[in-house]
C-alpha cells in the first residue's frame, strides 16, 4: 500500500492517543506495540472485507487447512513487510525517537504449535495469501501455547506459556455470527424421520459452543487477506445450570486451554480427542453453511470446497463431514461419500508409528457415539468394496479403519479422501514402500509428494536484513518478490569482493548472537570460531546425542594435545523436549553439564564452547539461524520426514552437515555434492540392518578405542552431576543396542566434521559453498510448495479479483 511517513505518524499517534489513551513520552514498548498493531489493522481491514465479499460474489473455490497446530511466531514484522510498509514504519519510528526493535519484541510469539508441523502450517498461511489462493486455516485458540522452557541446574523446567498476557492477541477478531454448537457423549439411536429415512436422536449429550476468532493472513505485496480461524470453547447460556462450580466450567474450558506438548506420540487422552473433534466439527459446520449461501447443490460441494487434513489430528473430518451431510442436511450416503472423498486430502508428516493416532474404540464411541457409528459403516462398506474388487484378505485387514479395537485415524483420512502426500521425496517413497504400502497397493493414484518449504521472506528480509541488503547489492532487489532470482547469485560465488561482503554480514550476525549468548548464559564466545548449530525438537532420532559424542571426542583431542592446532568451534543447541519424554530430558541435562565442564576449562579456552539456549522458539530461531556457519541435520536416515530448519540455514548461508535423510537429499541435489557435507548410513543401509538384525553396538564399542572412550565419558565421572543421565545414555547406546545407530555413524561423522574444518580454513572455498547454498535455496520457498498443493491436490484456480503475484 502507498503510505507516507507523515501519514503513518499521524495515524499512529492518533491511535495511541485515542485507543491506548496514552502519549508517546509515557508509553511503554507494549503500549506502543498495541497502538502500532491497531494502526495496521485499520490499513488492512478494508482489504479483508473486500476479499471476503469478492470470494463470495465470484463463488471462488476455497481450500481449508485443518491443523491442531499453527506456529506463526511474531506477526508484526511480517504484517508490515507484507503490506509493504515496513520501511515507512521504521522511518516513522526513527523520527519519533522510538526503538522499533524494542516495540517488536513486546509481541509475544504466537506459539500454537510444537515444531516443524506447526511452523509449516503457518508458512502455508503466509504463502496462500502471497500466491493469492483462497486458502483458509482452521485450528484451536489455545490459551496456553507450547510451554516456556527454563533450564534450572541443567534440567528442563516447563512453565505455562501465557501468550495472551495482558494485551491478548491484537490481531484476532471474534466472529459471533459464525458460532456453532458441538456435541459430545450421550446416547444416540436412529428413528424414523417420516420421509423414508432415518434420523439420529440424541440423549444426554454435552453441547458446547464453538466461538471463532479470525486472524488475518496478509499476502506479500498483493493486498490479499486470507483468514486463519481459531476456535474457542464456551458454555452455551442455556446449559449454564449444568456447570454450577468453577471446577465444572474449567473442565470445559480445558478443551481450548493448552496445546499438547508432544509432537510425535499418541496422547491417549480423552481431552485430546475432544480438542480434535471440536475444531474439526466447528470448522466443517461453518464451511457447509457458507457454501450453502452460494445457492449451489450440496452434493457438489467439492467444486467449491477442499478440506486438508494436516497429520492425523483432524482425521475425524471425513466421518464428521458425512454426519453433517447426511444427518443435518439429508443427503443420501452415496452422494455424501462421493462429495467427502473429493473434498478431503491428507498430509502425513512422519513414519514414526507412535504419531499415527489410534483411539480405543470404547473411548471413541463414548466421546463421539454418532461419529463412531458412521466410521463403522464407512469401514464395513470399504471392506465389502475391496473384497468385491478382489483385494486379498490380509490387505483389507491391514487397511481397515477399525481393527483390533482401535480406530486408525490415518486409515480414515486415506480412505475418506482422494490424496495422501508425504513431505519430501524420500519420505513419500517410504510411505509407499513401507508405512502405508498396503494403501499404495490398493490406491496408488492417491499418493503424491509435496516437499516442504519455508517463508523465505521471514528468514531473509526479517531475520537477516543485513544479508538481504548484501544480496540486493549483488543481484538487485528482484529476488525479494521473485525468490528464483536468487540464482543470479551463482555468478558471484567466486567473486572475492562478494565473498568478502557475505563473510562480513555473517560475522555481524554471529556477533549479534554472541552478544545474546553472553547476556543470557554468561558465556563469552568469539566470532572467530565456527558457529555450529543444531536447533530443533529434542528427539532420539534427531540424534543430538551424536553431536554430543563428537564434542566429547574434540574435548579429549584438546586435553590430549593442548598445544595442538585447533580450529575453534562454538556448538549451539536449542531444543525443547516433550515433558514426558524422559530420555530427551536426560540429553538436555548432559548437554548443559558438558557445557559447564568445557566452558570453564582454561586449557580448552576459546577452542571449544558449548551453549544451550533455552526456550527455542520462532523469534529465537530468527536470531540463531542467520548466525550459523554449520547446520546440523544428522537424523538417522529414513526418520526425519523432511525437516524445514535445514532449508532456513541453507538460505542464510550455512553449510549443511547432513545424513541422506528428509529434504537434506533435495538440498544436496540443489547445491551439488561439493557444497554440502554428507555422512553416515543411507536409508537402505538402515533397512538392511532391520532386515538382517545384524547390528551389534557393543561390538563397535569393544573394538573401537575412540568410541569406547567417548561412550565411557558418559559414565566415568568426567562430566559432573549427571550420573543417572550418563548411565541412561550408556544403556541406550550399549545395553539396548543403540536404536538410532549412533555408534555405526560416529566414525563417518567425525571424518565429515574434520573435512568441514578443512573447508572452513580455506575461506574462498568456504564462501563459495556458503553462497552457493543461498543462491540455490529458491526451490524451498513455501510459495511454490503451496502452488503445488493448490493446483495438484485442491484443484484451486486463482480468484479473478485483485492483483496476484504468480
Ligand atoms: N513433524 O513437527 C512434527 N510433528 C509431528 O508430530 C510429526 C512430524 C515434523 O513435520 C515437519 C513438517 O512436515 C517435518 O519437516 C519434520 O521432518 C517432521 O518431524
Amino acid at each position: 500500500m502507498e503510505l507516507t511517513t507523515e501519514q503513518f505518524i499521524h495515524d499512529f499517534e492518533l491511535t495511541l492517543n485515542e485507543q491506548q489513551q496514552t502519549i508517546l513520552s509515557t508509553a511503554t514498548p507494549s503500549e506502543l506495540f498495541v497502538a502500532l498493531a491497531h494502526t495496521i489493522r485499520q490499513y488492512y481491514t478494508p482489504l479483508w472485507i473486500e476479499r471476503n465479499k469478492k470470494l463470495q460474489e465470484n463463488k471462488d473455490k476455497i481450500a481449508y487447512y485443518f491443523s491442531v497446530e499453527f506456529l506463526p511466531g511474531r506477526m508484526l514484522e511480517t504484517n508490515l513487510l507484507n503490506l509493504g510498509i515496513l520501511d515507512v514504519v521504521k522511518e516513522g519510528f526513527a523520527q519519533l525517537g522510538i526503538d522499533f526493535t524494542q516495540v517488536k519484541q513486546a509481541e509475544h510469539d504466537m506459539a500454537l504449535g510444537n515444531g516443524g508441523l506447526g511452523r509449516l502450517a503457518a508458512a502455508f498461511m503466509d504463502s496462500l495469501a502471497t500466491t493469492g489462493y483462497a486458502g483458509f486455516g482452521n485450528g484451536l485458540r489455545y490459551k496456553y501455547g507450547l510451554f516456556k522452557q527454563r533450564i534450572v541446574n541443567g534440567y528442563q523446567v516447563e512453565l505455562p506459556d501465557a501468550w495472551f498476557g495482558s494485551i491478548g492477541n491484537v490481531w484476532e477478531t471474534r466472529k459471533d455470527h459464525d458460532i456453532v454448537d458441538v456435541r459430545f457423549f450421550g446416547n444416540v439411536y436412529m428413528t424414523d424421520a417420516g420421509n423414508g429415512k432415518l434420523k439420529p436422536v440424541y440423549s444426554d449429550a454435552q453441547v458446547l459452543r464453538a466461538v471463532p476468532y479470525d486472524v488475518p493472513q496478509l499476502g506479500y505485496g498483493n493486498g490479499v487477506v486470507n483468514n486463519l480461524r481459531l476456535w474457542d470453547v464456551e458454555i452455551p447460556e442455556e446449559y449454564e445450570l449444568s456447570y454450577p462450580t468453577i471446577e465444572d466450567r474449567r473442565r470445559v474450558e480445558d478443551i481450548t486451554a493448552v496445546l499438547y506438548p508432544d509432537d510425535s506420540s499418541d496422547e491417549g487422552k480423552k481431552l485430546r480427542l475432544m480438542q480434535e473433534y471440536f475444531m474439526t466439527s466447528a470448522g466443517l459446520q461453518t464451511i457447509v453453511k457458507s457454501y450453502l449461501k452460494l445457492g449451489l447443490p450440496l452434493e457438489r460441494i467439492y467444486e467449491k470446497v477442499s478440506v486438508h487434513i494436516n497429520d492425523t489430528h483432524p482425521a475425524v473430518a471425513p466421518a464428521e463431514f458425512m454426519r453433517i451431510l447426511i444427518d443435518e442436511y439429508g443427503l443420501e450416503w452415496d452422494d455424501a461419500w462421493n462429495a467427502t472423498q473429493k473434498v478431503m486430502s491428507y498430509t502425513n508428516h512422519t513414519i514414526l508409528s507412535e504419531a499415527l493416532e489410534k483411539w480405543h474404540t470404547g473411548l471413541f464411541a463414548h466421546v463421539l457415539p454418532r461419529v463412531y457409528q458412521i466410521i463403522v459403516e464407512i469401514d464395513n462398506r470399504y471392506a465389502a468394496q475391496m473384497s468385491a474388487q478382489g483385494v486379498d484378505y490380509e490387505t483389507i485387514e491391514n487397511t481397515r479403519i477399525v481393527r483390533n479395537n482401535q480406530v486408525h485415524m490415518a486409515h480414515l483420512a486415506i480412505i475418506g479422501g482422494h490424496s495422501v502426500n508425504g513431505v519430501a521425496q524420500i519420505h513419500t517413497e517410504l510411505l509407499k514402500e513401507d508405512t502405508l504400502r498396503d494403501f499404495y497397493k490398493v490406491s496408488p493414484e492417491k499418493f503424491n509428494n509435496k516437499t516442504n518449504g519455508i517463508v523465505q521472506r521471514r528468514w531473509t528480509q526479517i531475520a537477516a536484513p543485513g544479508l538481504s541488503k548484501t544480496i540486493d547489492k549483488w543481484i538487485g532487489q528482484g529476488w525479494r518478490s521473485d525468490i528464483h532470482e536468487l540464482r543470479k547469485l551463482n555468478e558471484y560465488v567466486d567473486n572475492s569482493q562478494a565473498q568478502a561482503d557475505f563473510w562480513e554480514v555473517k560475522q555481524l550476525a554471529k556477533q549479534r548472537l554472541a552478544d545474546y549468548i553472553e547476556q543470557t548464559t554468561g558465556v563469552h564466545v568469539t566470532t572467530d570460531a565456527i558457529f555450529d548449530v543444531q536447533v530443533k525438537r529434542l528427539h532420539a532420532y534427531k540424534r543430538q546425542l551424536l553431536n554430543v559424542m563428537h564434542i566429547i571426542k574434540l574435548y579429549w583431542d584438546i586435553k590430549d594435545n593442548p598445544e595442538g592446532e585447533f580450529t575453534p568451534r562454538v556448538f549451539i543447541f536449542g531444543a525443547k523436549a516433550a515433558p514426558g519424554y524422559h530420555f530427551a530430558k536426560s540429553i538436555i541435562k548432559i548437554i548443559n553439564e558438558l557445557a559447564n565442564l568445557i566452558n570453564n576449562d582454561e586449557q580448552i579456552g576459546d577452542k571449544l564452547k558449548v551453549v544451550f539456549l533455552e526456550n527455542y522458539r520462532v523469534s529465537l530461531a530468527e536470531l540463531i539461524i542467520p548466525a550459523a556457519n554449520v547446520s546440523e541435520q544428522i537424523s538417522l536416515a529414513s526418520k526425519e520426514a523432511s525437516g524445514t530448519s535445514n532449508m532456513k540455514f541453507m538460505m542464510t548461508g550455512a553449510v549443511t552437515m547432513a545424513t541422506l535423510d528428509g529434504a537434506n537429499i533435495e538440498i544436496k541435489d540443489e547445491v551439488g555434492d561439493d557444497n554440502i557435507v554428507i555422512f553416515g548410513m543411507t536409508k537402505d543401509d538402515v533397512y538392511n540392518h532391520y532386515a538382517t538384525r545384524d547390528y551389534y553396538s557393543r561390538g563397535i564399542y569393544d573394538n573401537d578405542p575412540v568410541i569406547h572412550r567417548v561412550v565411557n565419558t558418559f559414565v566415568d565421572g568426567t562430566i559432573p552431576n549427571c550420573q543417572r543421565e550418563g548411565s541412561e545414555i550408556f544403556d541406550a547406546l550399549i545395553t539396548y543396542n543403540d536404536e538410532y545407530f549412533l555408534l555405526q555413524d560416529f566414525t563417518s561423522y567425525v571424518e565429515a566434521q574434520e573435512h568441514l574444518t578443512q573447508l572452513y580454513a580455506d575461506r574462498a572455498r568456504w564462501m563459495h559453498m556458503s553462497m552457493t547454498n543461498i543462491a540455490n535455496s529458491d526451490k524451498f520457498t513455501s510459495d511454490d510448495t503451496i502452488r503445488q498443493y493448490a493446483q495438484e491436490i485442491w484443484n484451486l484456480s486463482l480468484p479473478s479479483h485483485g492483483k496476484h503475484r504468480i
Side-chain angles (χ1 to χ4, degrees), residues 381-445:
R381 287 178 186 235
Y382 168 76
Q385 191 200 344
M386 287 296 114
S387 176
Q389 285 173 14
V391 177
D392 63 278
Y393 176 78
E394 202 187 325
T395 305
I396 298 175
E397 280 304 296
N398 288 344
T399 52
R400 288 190 77 141
I401 304 166
V402 183
R403 192 184 175 206
N404 297 334
N405 292 324
Q406 288 190 309
V407 186
H408 292 248
M409 300 311 285
H411 298 193
L412 177 56
I414 298 168
I415 292 168
H418 65 279
S419 169
V420 188
N421 74 281
V423 291
Q425 277 162 18
I426 181 182
H427 171 58
T428 302
E429 287 315 307
L430 276 162
L431 292 179
K432 292 184 193 171
E433 283 165 13
D434 187 37
T435 320
L436 301 175
R437 66 177 173 277
D438 286 315
F439 281 108
Y440 185 59
K441 230 163 50 188
V442 294
S443 325
E445 74 291 348

Side-chain angles (χ1 to χ4, degrees), residues 69 114-120 262-265 272 310-311 313 347-350 352 355 423 452 537 541-542 639-647 662:
E69 299 192 16
N114 276 291
L117 177 152
R119 180 60 218 154
L120 186 78
D262 216 318
D263 72 334
S264 56
S265 80
R272 172 76 155 186
N310 191 33
D311 218 64
H313 318 114
T347 296
N348 174 288
H349 290 268
T350 180
L352 301 186
V423 291
N452 284 165
R537 285 298 289 254
Y541 83 78
K542 294 181 190 276
K639 294 290 182 277
E640 188 69 270
S642 160
T644 41
S645 75
N646 44 5
M647 302 166 184

Side-chain angles (χ1 to χ4, degrees), residues 9 130 165 282 287-288 295 408 450 561 682 767 798 802:
I9 290 179
T130 296
I287 288 167
V288 172
H408 292 248
K450 298 284 171 280
N561 183 11
T682 62
M767 288 317 295
L798 272 179

Side-chain angles (χ1 to χ4, degrees), residues 474-475 488-496 498-499 502 771:
W474 286 93
I475 60 167
K488 289 183 182 169
L489 209 54
N490 277 309
E491 215 180 298
Y492 303 102
V493 294
D494 293 314
N495 177 307
S496 57
Q499 289 193 345
F502 280 88
M771 290 171 66

